[in-house]
């Protein structure tokens, strides 16, 4: 109970609440005090004082005073417990998952600039263009701080666990990961986290990864480059390529496949050329399925052992990549 009370003081300051209830006040002097007509008794001369710093009120007319919960008890004739329940409702944050993921993405974006380890990692992957970082909303999850940030805004741990932002133990699910928000129709539908340590490299939140990455920007293009990873996407974007999308893995979900097939176009499949051949096998299978739908495909062959990101990290440039596009195999 004590924790709840503190939570309201932080989330819903007394003065804000009174103003929501149309209380009109003027500063009383230069301090944090405000004065206005008393909402608790018929008042003609302003006698109701609020200390905005202490979140306390006192009326010199009727002699009532206290905090926000006391005010709600008196003004709405509720018990202490009923007042708490009322305030809980008044200050409940939006529970739309997309709204929470949006807040989370913004929070991680703010962290990126505060952690040298994150900037070093991006530097290793040669991603350094501030315009790119802003455009893709790249962020950093240091771990151990998201829970505090969101519960202070009133989200319950249980709700955040359901979204997968917290693990079953209640800690931040993303720990030391570079974060890319995945959007669909302007809403964040998932977050991709790339570990900067030896931990399991790729991670999404539970639930769908959505459609193709940034598809709205290329859906009308007659030629589209498809990559499998967001670092590949970012590397090509930074090199100036814009007719670009990403399937977030070599396996396309039904929606992603449909998107590629929704009109005649040429798809440049640019999957990893890894030692075990899995990227190229996936690329061949996808090319067959796309051709069966009337889509023209070209397989872009990077040098052995490369993905688009490492191609640029190892000194490849836009002109060389353009040459690979032009010689891509049907
Ligand atoms: Zn009064």
């Amino acid at each position: 109970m004590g924790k709840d009370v503190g939570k309201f003081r932080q989330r819903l300051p007394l003065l804000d609440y009174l103003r929501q209830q149309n209380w009109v006040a003027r500063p009383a002097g230069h301090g944090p005090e405000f004065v206005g007509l008393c909402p608790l008794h018929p008042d003609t001369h302003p006698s109701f004082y609020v200390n905005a710093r202490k979140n306390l009120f006192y009326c010199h007319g009727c002699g009532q005073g206290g905090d926000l919960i006391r005010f709600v008890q008196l003004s709405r004739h509720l018990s202490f417990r009923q007042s708490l329940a009322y305030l809980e409702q008044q200050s409940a944050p939006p529970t739309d998952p997309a709204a929470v993921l949006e807040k989370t993405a913004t929070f991680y974006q703010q962290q990126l600039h505060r952690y040298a380890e994150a900037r070093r990692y991006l530097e290793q992957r040669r991603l350094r263009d501030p315009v790119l970082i802003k455009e893709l909303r790249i962020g950093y999850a240091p771990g151990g701080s998201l829970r505090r940030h969101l519960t202070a805004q009133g989200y319950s741990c249980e709700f955040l666990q359901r979204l997968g932002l917290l693990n079953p133990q209640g800690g931040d699910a993303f720990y030391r990961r570079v974060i890319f928000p995945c959007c669909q129709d302007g809403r964040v539908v998932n977050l991709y986290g790339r570990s900067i340590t030896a931990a399991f490299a790729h991670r999404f939140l539970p639930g769908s990864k959505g459609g193709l990455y940034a598809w709205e920007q290329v859906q009308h293009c007659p030629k589209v480059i498809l990559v499998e990873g967001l670092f590949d996407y970012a590397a090509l974007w930074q090199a100036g390529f814009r007719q670009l999308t990403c399937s977030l893995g070599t396996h396309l979900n039904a929606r992603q496949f449909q998107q590629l097939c929704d009109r005649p176009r040429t798809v440049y499949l640019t999957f990893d050329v890894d030692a075990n051949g899995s990227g190229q096998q996936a690329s061949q299978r996808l090319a067959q399925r796309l051709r069966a739908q009337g889509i023209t495909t070209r397989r872009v062959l990077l040098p052995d052992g490369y993905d688009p990101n490492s191609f640029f990290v190892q000194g490849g440039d836009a002109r060389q990549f353009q040459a690979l596009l032009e010689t891509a195999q049907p």
Side-chain angles (χ1 to χ4, degrees):
M1 186 67 81
K3 223 174 85 194
D4 286 351
V5 176
K7 204 168 74 183
F8 287 124
R9 293 219 176 90
Q10 199 181 7
R11 248 158 64 192
L12 188 55
L14 174 61
L15 189 61
D16 290 358
Y17 176 80
L18 289 167
R19 285 184 166 148
Q20 280 168 25
Q21 308 295 315
N22 302 316
W23 185 60
V24 180
R26 61 176 167 78
H30 297 292
E33 283 217 315
F34 292 81
V35 62
L37 293 174
C38 178
L40 301 174
H41 83 274
D43 197 10
T44 50
H45 180 78
S47 46
F48 188 87
Y49 285 78
V50 170
N51 186 310
R53 192 178 302 147
K54 294 180 181 164
N55 278 312
L56 293 173
F57 71 93
Y58 183 75
C59 174
H60 291 282
C62 60
Q64 297 286 8
D67 61 5
L68 173 61
I69 296 159
R70 180 77 190 139
F71 182 82
V72 170
Q73 281 182 267
L74 291 167
S75 60
R76 302 200 160 254
H77 310 289
L78 298 175
S79 72
F80 182 79
R81 269 178 184 282
Q82 287 169 330
S83 300
L84 273 184
Y86 166 81
L87 285 170
E88 178 82 60
Q89 216 181 18
Q90 288 287 303
S91 59
T95 50
D96 168 19
V100 186
L101 295 185
E102 176 63 41
K103 280 174 196 278
T104 303
T106 303
F107 177 73
Y108 285 153
Q109 270 183 286
Q110 291 160 351
Q111 306 313 306
L112 182 68
H113 306 285
R114 301 174 52 189
Y115 289 86
E117 70 219 37
R119 292 194 305 273
R120 261 200 309 276
Y121 183 80
L122 288 181
E123 182 60 33
Q124 273 170 31
R125 308 287 298 251
R126 293 290 188 279
L127 301 179
R128 46 167 79 106
D129 180 357
V131 180
L132 167 85
I133 289 168
K134 198 168 165 217
E135 173 74 20
L136 272 52
R137 304 189 60 194
I138 299 172
Y140 181 60
S145 56
L146 181 72
R147 174 196 163 123
R148 200 175 344 129
H149 177 71
L150 290 177
T151 53
Q153 295 177 47
Y155 292 104
S156 71
C157 288
E158 195 240 330
F159 176 62
L160 299 174
Q161 276 168 333
R162 225 162 39 225
L163 291 181
L165 291 170
L166 300 186
N167 60 31
Q169 292 74 42
D172 288 12
F174 284 129
Y175 178 76
R176 302 192 73 191
R177 283 174 188 272
V178 168
I179 303 289
F180 291 73
C182 305
C183 298
Q184 199 169 290
D185 308 319
R187 291 154 65 83
V188 182
V189 292
N190 209 319
L191 299 172
Y192 167 74
R194 176 63 167 89
S195 176
I196 69 164
T197 65
F200 184 67
H202 312 285
R203 230 184 132 169
F204 287 93
L205 295 176
S208 169
K209 58 189 176 182
L212 291 167
Y213 185 80
W215 182 245
E216 324 63 82
Q217 294 169 25
V218 294
Q219 57 183 331
H220 301 296
C221 299
K223 294 179 178 179
V224 171
I225 303 168
L226 176 70
V227 296
E228 64 177 87
L230 284 168
F231 280 91
D232 302 327
Y233 182 97
L236 281 169
W237 198 98
Q238 189 174 256
F241 295 91
R242 293 293 183 274
Q243 299 195 1
L244 193 60
T245 189
C246 171
S247 49
L248 312 158
T250 54
H251 178 76
L252 276 68
N253 62 33
R255 185 189 165 100
Q256 293 176 328
F257 186 74
Q258 256 166 18
Q259 286 173 321
L260 283 181
C261 298
D262 69 356
R263 71 188 66 208
R265 60 166 60 85
T266 303
V267 178
Y268 289 83
L269 297 163
T270 316
F271 286 180
D272 301 2
V273 181
D274 29 28
N276 62 15
S278 62
Q280 287 312 299
Q281 281 166 20
S283 171
Q284 266 167 7
R285 276 196 306 270
L286 179 59
Q288 272 171 14
R289 286 175 63 209
L290 288 169
R291 280 199 300 272
Q293 299 294 318
I295 299 298
T296 308
T297 59
R298 296 276 182 273
R299 291 202 302 123
V300 179
L301 280 182
L302 295 162
D304 263 356
Y306 280 80
D307 59 39
N309 184 206
S310 60
F311 177 79
F312 287 98
V313 170
Q314 300 298 326
D317 61 22
R319 195 182 45 79
Q320 290 167 337
F321 189 81
Q322 184 62 43
L324 290 178
L325 288 177
E326 281 158 19
T327 55
Q329 303 173 352

